[in-house]
Amino acid sequence: MTATEFTYQIAGLRSTLQTFTRRFTNDREESLDLVQDTMLKALMYRDKFRQDTNLKGWLFTIMRNTFINNYRRSQRVRTSHDTTRDLYFLNVEEEHTFNRPQESMEFKEIWRNVNTIKDEFLTPFKMYTSGYKYHEIAEHLNIPIGTVKNRIFHARKEIQKRLQGY
């Protein structure tokens, strides 16, 4: 397929792409930008397109990936950085502390139940809930990543059984 044919086929799918953007956004401007980005990337990476591939599916995949990447980028932009001296804002006490005695008791009771599960399940679970990624836990504990996922799964199931009343 020549570059001209490729361009005409992509241009012919513009309205289909526009309709497909409704899956991702209801904002008209964002929708138009997404279509434009998709078409631009398709034209830039025309050499990656294979003749035996469905062009519409290829464009939809580009659009979906573009939307996901833009969404993730916007989430990172919202991250705040503390530039104050002594990291004042990072050391601020959290707002959802347990100020009432009954909530504090429930919290302690929940953690008492959580801490009774087997250590082989508890250690990966606590690391995961503390923010470690699967591969970091696997490296730290010297076990395969599949085992880490399995142990976290079983820890969750065990905790759910013990905390049915909550």
Side-chain angles (χ1 to χ4, degrees):
M1 174 183 325
T2 66
T4 308
E5 291 172 339
F6 185 77
T7 305
Y8 280 123
Q9 285 188 7
I10 288 177
L13 291 171
R14 184 180 188 92
S15 63
T16 306
L17 291 172
Q18 186 69 40
T19 304
F20 188 65
T21 61
R22 290 193 185 114
R23 292 180 130 190
F24 304 115
T25 181
N26 289 326
D27 182 17
R28 179 171 160 58
E29 294 300 318
E30 190 176 345
S31 177
L32 292 172
D33 289 344
L34 189 55
V35 170
Q36 184 177 3
D37 288 347
T38 301
M39 293 179 76
L40 179 64
K41 286 181 181 181
L43 292 171
M44 283 176 34
Y45 299 108
R46 183 180 78 82
D47 57 320
K48 306 273 191 228
F49 179 74
R50 289 180 288 152
Q51 290 293 333
D52 59 341
T53 306
N54 178 359
L55 179 62
K56 188 172 19 172
W58 188 67
L59 290 171
F60 286 171
T61 301
I62 292 172
M63 181 178 286
R64 184 194 68 218
N65 291 342
T66 301
F67 175 78
I68 290 169
N69 291 339
N70 289 343
Y71 177 79
R72 287 180 179 158
R73 190 175 301 120
S74 73
Q75 293 302 309
R76 279 195 304 267
V77 168
R78 291 186 199 165
T79 304
S80 62
H81 297 284
D82 188 2
T83 57
T84 61
R85 187 170 177 249
D86 298 326
L87 302 177
Y88 174 77
F89 291 120
L90 293 179
N91 296 325
V92 174
E93 220 176 287
E94 293 186 17
E95 294 176 16
H96 61 274
T97 58
F98 295 99
N99 293 330
R100 294 185 291 244
Q102 70 272 15
E103 291 175 355
S104 179
M105 291 294 290
E106 286 177 7
F107 180 78
K108 288 176 183 174
E109 187 177 342
I110 289 170
W111 274 106
R112 232 186 336 268
N113 282 314
V114 168
N115 287 326
T116 60
I117 65 173
K118 293 180 188 175
D119 279 339
E120 68 178 303
F121 298 141
L122 185 61
T123 303
F125 177 77
K126 281 187 173 180
M127 289 178 75
Y128 183 74
T129 57
S130 297
Y132 287 91
K133 305 287 185 216
Y134 289 129
H135 66 87
E136 295 171 333
I137 298 168
E139 288 175 11
H140 182 74
L141 298 177
N142 234 7
I143 56 176
I145 196 165
T147 305
V148 169
K149 291 178 181 181
N150 188 349
R151 288 182 181 175
I152 292 171
F153 171 79
H154 285 292
R156 285 179 178 154
K157 289 296 179 190
E158 187 67 29
I159 291 168
Q160 285 174 352
K161 268 195 272 182
R162 292 170 191 254
L163 298 177
Q164 281 183 333
Y166 290 95

